[in-house]
Amino acid sequence: MRTLYLLGNGFDLACGLKSRYADYFESRFKWYKGYNSSDSKAIPAIYKEIQDGGIKNIPSAWFIVFAYEHDQPGYRNDHVLWKDIEKNIDTFLQDYPQENEISISEYFKYFSNSPENTPPQKKSMYELLTLYFQKKDIAFRTEENLFDIFDQELSNLENDFAKYLRTIDQNPNYQANAKLLFEKIQKAETSKRIEYVTFGTIGGHMSSMPKEPHEEFVMSFNYTRPLEDIPNYVNLHGEENQGTAMFGIADDNGYPTKTEMKITSGYRSSFFKDTRRQQKECLDKQSARTINELSKKTN
């Protein structure tokens, strides 16, 4: 018998780990003197930070992209989910963004021509991106160059996020809570499905054992690995301790996202999760074996 456990971000949150999308970005925004609370505007705070202190506290150009989303009316930290980071990446890859949306292609056109009809909020964001690239001595001549730059900047963001996780997941309470919670899940979910056979002698000691071998597999969508004693454990989106934390959009097999009819540039492939997974070699041989086992016919 095989049992598959799927662990999402709710598992880490239940164990006391502050690993939400908003937790990470708020921890970084608070570095900036112009940002005091979740009600503060992130774009002006980053602009002031770059002017006063340079870019050492700006982990990636994507921080500016997410800061733009943060400053939109109606944004609330407690409503933001991890899928929203994928949505923001997806939106930024569009060739033809909607009125309140931003994109690489639109930024390249603004950088090349500075159209006068650019809305003020977009203009501030695009000018901040230009300032960021100037401070990093990054130049680009074509839109394809710019896509390559944002690909590398996404890697920078992933690395910084992994660094953030390593500062918060060393709490022994998190490790203990994760073990305890998983034990509760095991007892609640597997005991009802495992058939046992009893053996011993009548009137003597009786015992029991599972009727069939019971293999357990854990497939985690988190970047943490608190359950070290489980051999069949896979982090699908990379592992922070291995430096393989991975963001991105849908795998390149159908690409059922909102940009399907809006992208003509063809430079988006490096942002797909399956491409980034291959680039980072997120799955080691043991993880690959685990997935192969899961793909076999189960009882």
Side-chain angles (χ1 to χ4, degrees), residues 174-191:
Y174 163 65
Q175 305 289 333
N177 290 342
K179 183 177 181 180
L180 180 61
L181 178 58
F182 188 70
E183 288 175 352
K184 290 181 179 179
I185 294 173
Q186 286 175 305
K187 292 177 181 178
E189 296 297 328
T190 63
S191 60

Side-chain angles (χ1 to χ4, degrees), residues 7-284:
L7 303 183
N9 190 230
F11 181 86
D12 277 350
L13 294 178
C15 298
L17 197 69
K18 292 185 176 181
S19 57
R20 293 170 63 247
Y21 170 103
D23 293 329
Y24 167 59
F25 284 104
E26 284 296 306
S27 74
R28 296 309 190 236
F29 289 154
K30 288 178 181 177
W31 285 345
Y32 314 140
K33 295 179 180 179
Y35 189 90
N36 300 314
S37 69
S38 59
D39 295 329
S40 301
K41 295 297 183 181
I43 289 290
I46 294 176
Y47 186 80
K48 179 175 175 55
E49 177 70 19
I50 293 177
Q51 284 188 316
D52 294 348
I55 58 171
K56 63 179 180 179
N57 287 331
I58 317 296
S60 166
W62 285 95
F63 244 67
I64 299 171
V65 175
F66 298 129
Y68 177 84
E69 298 299 330
H70 173 280
D71 289 353
Q72 294 302 302
Y75 176 94
R76 287 182 55 181
N77 281 338
D78 54 344
H79 287 181
V80 178
L81 304 175
W82 263 112
K83 66 179 182 181
D84 294 314
I85 194 171
E86 299 171 2
K87 174 186 174 184
N88 290 342
I89 294 171
D90 179 34
T91 298
F92 197 60
L93 299 178
Q94 294 179 63
D95 283 339
Y96 305 105
Q98 297 181 10
E99 183 178 356
N100 64 333
E101 295 174 340
I102 54 176
S103 76
I104 294 178
S105 296
E106 188 180 72
Y107 168 60
F108 183 74
K109 293 173 184 176
Y110 178 85
F111 177 82
S112 302
N113 302 315
S114 299
E116 296 181 358
N117 60 346
T118 304
Q121 192 174 19
K122 285 188 178 185
K123 183 178 180 181
S124 297
M125 187 270 181
Y126 290 150
E127 288 181 347
L128 182 56
L129 275 177
T130 300
L131 178 62
Y132 171 84
F133 289 134
Q134 287 174 345
K135 293 290 186 179
K136 291 193 72 173
D137 293 323
I138 293 177
F140 49 88
R141 293 180 178 274
T142 67
E143 188 174 334
E144 184 176 7
N145 291 155
L146 191 56
F147 269 82
D148 290 340
I149 289 169
F150 271 97
D151 178 26
Q152 179 57 51
E153 290 292 318
L154 189 56
S155 295
N156 295 342
L157 180 69
E158 292 162 341
N159 293 337
D160 188 70
F161 176 70
K163 186 187 301 183
Y164 166 76
L165 281 183
R166 287 195 293 271
T167 65
I168 64 173
D169 74 351
Q170 299 305 310
N171 188 325
N173 290 333
Y174 163 65
Q175 305 289 333
N177 290 342
K179 183 177 181 180
L180 180 61
L181 178 58
F182 188 70
E183 288 175 352
K184 290 181 179 179
I185 294 173
Q186 286 175 305
K187 292 177 181 178
E189 296 297 328
T190 63
S191 60
K192 299 176 184 177
R193 297 196 292 269
I194 300 176
E195 295 183 28
Y196 288 84
V197 58
T198 303
F199 60 93
T201 58
I202 299 177
H205 178 72
M206 302 292 288
S207 188
S208 64
M209 64 179 293
K211 189 175 182 180
E212 302 173 0
H214 180 218
E215 295 180 280
E216 294 183 314
F217 299 85
V218 174
M219 190 172 289
S220 175
F221 292 88
N222 297 322
Y223 304 93
T224 53
R225 191 161 185 161
L227 308 172
E228 294 291 348
D229 55 343
I230 298 178
N232 299 320
Y233 195 113
V234 178
N235 290 81
L236 283 179
H237 293 163
E239 187 176 343
E240 44 95 2
N241 281 329
Q242 301 298 322
T244 55
M246 178 188 68
F247 299 163
I249 55 176
D251 291 349
D252 193 11
N253 52 359
Y255 190 52
T257 64
K258 64 180 290 185
T259 62
E260 185 173 8
M261 302 302 294
K262 292 186 177 183
I263 292 184
T264 58
S265 58
Y267 307 137
R268 68 188 184 279
S269 60
S270 59
F271 298 90
F272 286 122
K273 287 181 181 177
D274 53 355
T275 303
R276 300 188 72 76
R277 185 178 290 114
Q278 292 169 10
Q279 291 172 342
K280 288 175 171 284
E281 298 180 348
C282 292
L283 298 178
D284 57 23

